[in-house]
Amino acid sequence: MRIPFIAGNWKMYKTPKEAKAFAEEFKKSYEASSVKVAIAAPFVDLETLVKAFKGTGIGVAAQNMHWESEGAYTGEVSAEMLKSIGVTYCIIGHSERRQYFKETDATVNKKLKKALAAGLLPILCVGENLKTREAGGEKEFVEKQTVAAFKGISAEDAKKITIAYEPIWAIGTGKTATPKQAQDMCAFVRKTLKKIYGSEVSEEMIIQYGGSVKPANASELMNMPDIDGALVGGASLKPGDFLEIVHF
Ligand code: 13P
């Protein structure tokens, strides 16, 4: 059985003080259930959140990492460093990193391998832009991204990776994919994983939808058969909104 997993992605929002205030507020009304919950925060907030969420079961995620353990890479942070402060997850290959920081399928693959080797659980993002969607090329595009990301990764490791299907045209635009569009693409990602790893593995893997998920649409999306969770941007910044989503 797949355990639902809902993660908030704060992107470049919140100081440590604001992160702590969020955590205290969130904890007041959070009811632990069979749904896994995590917050992906800026690097400077991670230790604060690890401490604030201790004993709650709420996980802490980074939003990026480097593929080397250490070295002359000014401005970068390694998987081992994240692990050492109690971080559990790391988002890898978010479309904003691909778009603004030139991450490629090859660097995404290297980062996934390093995260797994260091004991971090990756949340891999895939998803097409509007131009690709309008040209009807979304499946081909997402298949290519998925196959490239998982290149050389064993079935056992693959099961540790959460995949977030995030159509770029639905991110921060308020334009959510319809539940049917989101379901179709999450099912397609699973089909792609089945081709690589077989159905036993693909049926176990957690696939999230991301893109304008909010309290009003979370339960409809979460009820789709191949959508096992959500990666939530804007609506994860307010404790009340994110609580409604995780208690969907
Ligand atoms: P929004 O929920 O703000 O559309 O962002 C989605 C996202 O990019 C999460 O990683």
Side-chain angles (χ1 to χ4, degrees):
M1 208 190 77
R2 300 193 292 266
I3 297 170
F5 178 28
I6 298 183
N9 174 13
W10 284 354
K11 310 192 178 185
M12 199 172 74
Y13 289 96
K14 294 194 193 292
T15 63
K17 198 174 158 197
E18 291 164 341
K20 186 157 192 304
F22 175 100
E24 296 310 327
E25 187 65 27
F26 189 81
K27 281 194 294 186
K28 278 190 211 158
S29 311
Y30 172 64
E31 287 165 27
S33 67
S34 57
V35 178
K36 278 204 282 180
V37 175
I39 293 278
F43 290 129
V44 294
D45 298 335
L46 296 174
E47 252 189 302
T48 302
L49 287 180
V50 167
K51 282 188 196 138
F53 287 143
K54 204 172 172 178
T56 63
I58 301 165
V60 177
Q63 299 173 4
N64 180 37
M65 48 164 269
H66 196 269
W67 61 82
E68 293 289 351
S69 303
E70 57 185 14
Y73 300 103
T74 303
E76 293 291 317
V77 171
S78 74
E80 287 84 349
M81 291 169 185
L82 295 169
K83 186 78 189 159
S84 79
I85 58 163
V87 170
T88 305
Y89 304 94
C90 187
I91 296 178
I92 293 179
H94 191 280
S95 60
E96 287 149 15
R97 296 223 47 95
R98 295 179 193 252
Q99 186 181 350
Y100 303 125
F101 304 100
K102 305 286 173 278
E103 293 204 11
T104 64
D105 286 341
T107 61
V108 165
N109 177 252
K110 284 208 261 190
K111 289 181 181 197
L112 283 175
K113 287 176 178 160
K114 173 50 101 179
L116 291 162
L120 278 181
L121 300 174
I123 302 171
L124 161 71
C125 298
V126 297
E128 79 287 355
N129 64 19
L130 187 60
K131 202 169 149 215
T132 304
R133 162 77 50 167
E134 282 176 349
E138 66 274 11
K139 291 204 165 124
E140 195 186 333
F141 184 85
V142 167
E143 179 172 25
K144 192 173 150 281
Q145 271 187 330
T146 306
V147 169
F150 282 89
K151 198 173 166 199
I153 292 176
S154 70
E156 201 186 322
D157 272 346
K159 286 194 263 183
K160 298 175 190 155
I161 301 175
T162 297
I163 297 149
Y165 167 66
E166 298 206 305
I168 296 168
W169 47 270
I171 296 178
T173 56
K175 195 174 162 186
T176 322
T178 63
K180 185 183 178 309
Q181 283 174 320
Q183 160 60 24
D184 278 356
M185 287 305 288
C186 290
F188 177 74
V189 169
R190 198 176 309 284
K191 196 170 135 197
T192 304
L193 293 166
K194 183 178 169 185
K195 274 200 230 161
I196 311 173
Y197 296 109
S199 66
E200 209 175 305
V201 172
S202 69
E203 286 301 319
E204 270 186 48
M205 291 180 67
I206 301 299
I207 303 176
Q208 298 173 324
Y209 166 77
S212 299
V213 175
K214 29 189 186 256
N217 60 23
S219 74
E220 200 182 355
L221 288 162
M222 291 297 296
N223 282 327
M224 301 309 280
D226 284 286
I227 302 179
D228 310 315
L231 188 56
V232 185
S236 71
L237 292 168
K238 289 197 189 134
D241 286 354
F242 194 51
L243 276 163
E244 273 193 61
I245 293 172
V246 305
H247 295 152
F248 67 93

